[in-house]
């Protein structure tokens, strides 16, 4: 199972200077999207996931195919317990052939994360609620 917290922690900023293309061949939109992606990573380190989500969405408005931004956006959604949005982001990765195997693993882990109770109290409540509903 994927450790989503570790995945977020391991996200690294992108250094435009280290890219294979000369700086003059990189479009302004791609540069803007990378700057916003790097800003989002800084916001994540400051535990401001809502602001990171906004910047990642903006980065994707400049560069829709930005695989790392889509991946990080999905991870931020998981951190914010917005599992439907996370699922959509991870499916988008698969649809666009980006990190397909990793995205499938994220989806499997997401299913596990959202179906396994966090403690016995939740399990008891589910059993009681299920029993109550079946009695009615």
């Amino acid at each position: 199972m994927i450790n989503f917290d570790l995945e977020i922690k391991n996200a690294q900023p992108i250094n435009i200077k280290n890219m294979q293309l000369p700086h003059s061949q990189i479009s302004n939109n791609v540069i803007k999207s990378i700057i916003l992606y790097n800003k989002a990573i800084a916001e994540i380190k400051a535990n401001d996931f809502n602001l990171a989500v906004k910047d990642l969405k903006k980065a994707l408005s400049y560069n829709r195919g930005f695989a790392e931004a889509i991946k990080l956006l999905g991870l931020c959604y998981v951190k914010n317990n917005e599992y439907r949005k996370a699922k959509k982001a991870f499916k988008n990765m698969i649809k666009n052939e980006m990190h397909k195997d990793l995205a499938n693993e994220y989806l499997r882990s997401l299913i596990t994360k959202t179906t396994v109770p966090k403690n016995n109290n939740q399990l008891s409540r589910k059993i009681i609620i299920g029993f109550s509903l079946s009695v009615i």
Side-chain angles (χ1 to χ4, degrees):
M1 187 165 121
I2 295 281
N3 180 336
F4 290 109
D5 290 331
L6 187 59
E7 290 289 306
I8 290 172
K9 185 179 177 183
N10 288 336
Q12 296 295 314
I14 297 171
N15 187 340
I16 297 172
K17 294 177 185 175
N18 290 344
M19 295 180 77
Q20 299 296 326
L21 295 172
H23 190 71
S24 62
Q25 290 184 352
I26 302 171
S27 78
N28 284 336
N29 282 347
V30 170
I31 291 170
K32 288 177 188 176
S33 68
I34 291 171
I35 291 168
L36 287 162
Y37 172 83
N38 290 344
K39 186 177 174 206
I41 289 178
E43 292 157 352
I44 288 167
K45 292 186 187 312
N47 282 327
D48 193 343
F49 290 92
N50 292 326
L51 195 52
V53 165
K54 287 179 185 177
D55 283 335
L56 289 166
K57 285 180 175 181
K58 194 170 183 177
L60 288 166
S61 74
Y62 287 114
N63 181 7
R64 288 196 179 278
F66 191 177
E68 292 302 314
I70 295 169
K71 176 178 125 179
L72 191 56
L73 179 62
L75 293 171
C76 286
Y77 283 141
V78 170
K79 191 70 176 174
N80 284 341
N81 298 321
E82 296 179 84
Y83 301 120
R84 284 186 179 156
K85 290 179 180 180
K87 184 177 177 182
K88 185 177 176 181
F90 299 147
K91 284 186 174 184
N92 191 14
M93 289 171 61
I94 294 169
K95 184 177 98 179
N96 293 317
E97 300 289 324
M98 299 177 288
H99 306 293
K100 195 174 188 175
D101 293 336
L102 181 61
N104 279 317
E105 186 62 30
Y106 282 166
L107 287 169
R108 282 191 292 277
S109 294
L110 189 60
I111 290 168
T112 303
K113 181 176 182 61
T114 58
T115 57
V116 174
K118 292 182 182 175
N119 58 40
N120 288 336
N121 230 3
Q122 285 182 318
L123 182 60
S124 299
R125 261 185 276 154
K126 284 185 179 182
I127 292 169
I128 291 168
I129 291 169
F131 178 74
S132 298
L133 292 176
S134 64
V135 171
I136 297 174

